[in-house]
Structure formats: structure tokens, C-alpha cells
Amino acid sequence: GFIKLLLHSSKKTYRMLAVRMMGRISLFSSLSHSQMLPTTFTPLILFTFKFQFTDTQLRFAGHNKWSKIARKKMAADIQRSTIISRHVTRIRKHVARHGNSEQHPELTALMDRGRELQIPKATLERALTLSLAKSFKEQRLVLKGASGYLVLVTLYGAPASINQSRAELKKITRKFNLTFLQAGSDVSFFLEKGVIDVVIPESTDVDLEELAIEIGAEDCSVQNDEDNNGEFWQFKTDLQSYQLASQHIRDKEFKIIEQKTEFFPRTHSELTADQFQEATQVVERLNTIEDATGIYDNISCKELDM
């Protein structure tokens, strides 16, 4: 009667369960008739089987694949959102400094890079207009860790947003025992340079070091794109030669991926492996601040290089 009730159920799950139960019962019956199982135990086994698969005890094995996909998708979305936010902030920062001039080479490179990152056109245009409409400002703060390392944080945004980021920054300093250095410390401990990323040309006749000397770059190297777009050339110049070097590269019809200014430490702080791990956690936490356009440090660890 119990199996018959399940067979006539409107739920497919219960009907499938009834079929499985009928198969088990036929198995027990065959065992009982073949004297492999005493007849006196058959009702007990059937009762146990019936109790195991009632409504309250019903369990089905399986794997929730969507939860794994959702976690991976969420991580990818957060990473993409961070990349877009940082790039839009760079556009706002440039417009606030140099104005909304489409002929400016740095702004052109930023807009082209935004299209390559598949940032919506409306987002890029809004970044241009919003920078002129609001009074954005930039702040540079230098933090000193307990083990002596330094971290430069550059904040850029509206005054209200900057104040909120500074409040978040104070929470991080209290948690990791960091101290603020006096204003102007960024110039004492870090040097601002121009950085130009260039697509490697298909022609093998071009030599990287010769090109660096020709455009007046201080340093050159081959880097790997974080967005998995392959390798590219990177040139570093002083601020006086920055714009002139980028113009030389354009005159030679090389494609510039991105050009920006970054800060490099004048000296490095040597840390142990444990101190390096703690400092890395600090840098990762600082990167979560929304208005942070750059995080620069002077951390070095020879123990990990061995």
C-alpha cells in the first residue's frame, strides 16, 4: 500500500523512489526464497527500508555545481570591477590635471586602453565629464610598518570620498600597527617616474635596448600583462623626458598600451620571511580602499630570493 501510494504521487521524486523500493523488495524476496536469508528477517528488513525512505528521512546525494561557479564568477567580477575602477580613476586624475583634451597623447592612450578592457563607452564618457564637474583632489600618504618598511598610498577622489578612505586607512593602521609619516615624506622616500607600456612589434629588427637609448629612457624590460594579453615592453623615464619619450614612440608607429606615472623607492627595507608575509597582507588590505589609485612600497626579502 505504501509503494502504491508513492507510485500515484504527483511528485516525480516519490514515483522514482517507489520503483527503487520495488527493486529492493524483489531482491529481498529472492534471497528469502533461496534460503540465503532467513524468512523471519525479511519483515524487519522491509520495515527498516520503509522507515529509511519516508518523507522525513528522504535524502539525495549530489553536487551543488552552481555554488562553485558562483564563487569563481564572483571573484572574477570583483577583479574586473577593481580594474575598471582603477582605470576610470586614472582618466579622472588626468582630466583634472590636464583638462579634457582628446589630442593629449596620455588621454588618448587611456581611452584606447579602456576600450581594450571592454569598459562601456558611457562609463568612459562619464569619467571625462564628471572630473570637470566635481572638485577632485589627490593626497599622498606614507605609512611606516613596525619592521621599518614604507608604503606610499595615493588617494584620488571627491573630498567626501577621500575622508571616507582616510577613515578606512586609519582602521588598517591600527590593526597592523602602522604609523603615518609627516607630509612631504613621499618626495623623501619615493621618486616619481614615467612608465610607458608598448606592444612588442612583430618585426624582429627592432632592438629593445637600442630603442630605449634612442627615446631617452632610463630603463627597459619585458613584462607580462596581468590581463593575459601576452608580453609587452616597458620603458621608465624621468618626468622631464616622459612626454617626449612617448611622442618618439608614437612617431615610430609603435602602439602604446598605457602610459602613466608611478613611484619607485629610493632605498629598500630588507625584511625576514615572516615580516615580508605581514607586509604583504598590509599591501593587499590597502588595495581594497576604493580611492587608492596606487600602492607603492620599498619591501625586499632576500630569504625568498634564495
Side-chain angles (χ1 to χ4, degrees):
F2 177 71
I3 296 177
K4 189 175 182 180
L5 185 65
L6 291 179
L7 283 171
H8 291 82
S9 174
S10 60
K11 294 185 177 181
K12 183 180 178 181
T13 304
Y14 291 160
R15 295 197 300 271
M16 293 176 63
L17 177 60
V19 174
R20 292 171 61 186
M21 290 175 65
M22 290 173 63
R24 296 281 184 91
I25 292 172
S26 61
L27 174 62
F28 293 143
S29 299
S30 61
L31 290 174
S32 176
H33 290 304
S34 62
Q35 296 182 354
M36 292 179 65
L37 189 69
T39 308
T40 54
F41 288 101
T42 304
L44 179 60
I45 293 174
L46 291 177
F47 173 79
T48 305
F49 178 79
K50 177 179 177 180
F51 177 78
Q52 182 182 0
F53 287 95
T54 55
D55 297 0
T56 57
Q57 301 292 327
L58 189 60
R59 297 289 185 273
F60 291 96
H63 301 282
N64 190 356
K65 296 182 180 179
W66 168 244
S67 63
K68 297 180 181 179
I69 296 174
R71 284 195 295 269
K72 292 180 181 179
K73 185 177 183 300
M74 185 181 299
D77 290 345
I78 292 174
Q79 184 180 9
R80 172 168 170 75
S81 176
T82 303
I83 293 174
I84 292 176
S85 177
R86 293 284 169 83
H87 192 77
V88 168
T89 303
R90 285 177 179 172
I91 294 175
R92 291 178 179 176
K93 186 176 178 181
H94 171 85
V95 174
R97 286 182 174 181
H98 307 286
N100 187 4
S101 176
E102 296 182 357
Q103 296 180 350
H104 198 285
E106 186 172 348
L107 181 59
T108 302
L110 286 172
M111 297 298 288
D112 291 341
R113 181 60 174 167
R115 297 184 189 97
E116 291 178 1
L117 293 173
Q118 297 182 354
I119 300 176
K121 182 180 179 181
T123 303
L124 296 175
E125 293 178 351
R126 187 166 59 250
L128 295 176
T129 56
L130 192 62
S131 301
L132 297 175
K134 290 188 176 182
S135 56
F136 285 89
K137 64 178 183 178
E138 182 181 22
Q139 285 190 5
R140 299 172 185 173
L141 304 170
V142 179
L143 307 175
K144 185 175 183 180
S147 52
Y149 65 89
L150 300 174
V151 181
L152 171 62
V153 182
T154 58
L155 301 176
Y156 182 79
S161 182
I162 288 287
N163 293 334
Q164 186 176 356
S165 295
R166 284 184 65 107
E168 188 177 350
L169 190 59
K170 289 181 180 179
K171 293 180 181 178
I172 298 175
T173 57
R174 287 194 295 268
K175 180 177 180 180
F176 292 97
N177 193 22
L178 305 173
T179 56
F180 285 98
L181 298 187
Q182 61 182 0
S185 300
D186 57 304
V187 180
S188 303
F189 299 108
F190 292 88
L191 181 64
E192 188 175 13
K193 295 183 179 182
V195 180
I196 307 172
D197 299 337
V198 180
V199 175
I200 299 178
E202 296 180 358
S203 174
T204 57
D205 299 334
V206 182
D207 184 74
L208 175 61
E209 295 182 356
E210 290 182 1
L211 179 61
I213 296 173
E214 187 176 350
I215 66 175
E218 295 180 349
D219 187 24
C220 61
S221 60
V222 179
Q223 301 289 332
N224 190 29
D225 196 343
E226 295 179 355
D227 302 325
N228 298 322
N229 291 329
E231 294 183 338
F232 62 91
W233 285 347
Q234 185 175 88
F235 301 95
K236 297 176 184 176
T237 69
D238 56 44
L239 290 181
Q240 290 74 21
S241 307
Y242 172 50
Q243 296 296 342
L244 186 60
S246 64
Q247 188 59 46
H248 279 317
I249 292 174
R250 285 187 174 83
D251 292 342
K252 292 182 175 296
E253 298 183 351
F254 292 134
K255 182 180 179 182
I256 294 180
I257 302 174
E258 186 178 14
Q259 61 180 81
K260 54 189 179 293
T261 58
E262 292 186 351
F263 291 87
F264 297 88
R266 295 181 183 272
T267 58
H268 287 83
S269 297
E270 187 63 33
L271 306 180
T272 64
D274 294 337
Q275 292 172 342
F276 179 82
Q277 185 176 3
E278 180 183 351
T280 303
Q281 292 178 358
V282 172
V283 173
E284 289 177 355
R285 186 70 184 274
L286 291 173
N287 270 301
T288 61
I289 299 177
E290 186 175 356
D291 291 329
T293 57
I295 308 293
Y296 311 97
D297 61 75
N298 68 341
I299 300 169
S300 178
C301 184
K302 292 182 179 179
E303 291 184 13
L304 298 178
D305 296 336
M306 295 179 179

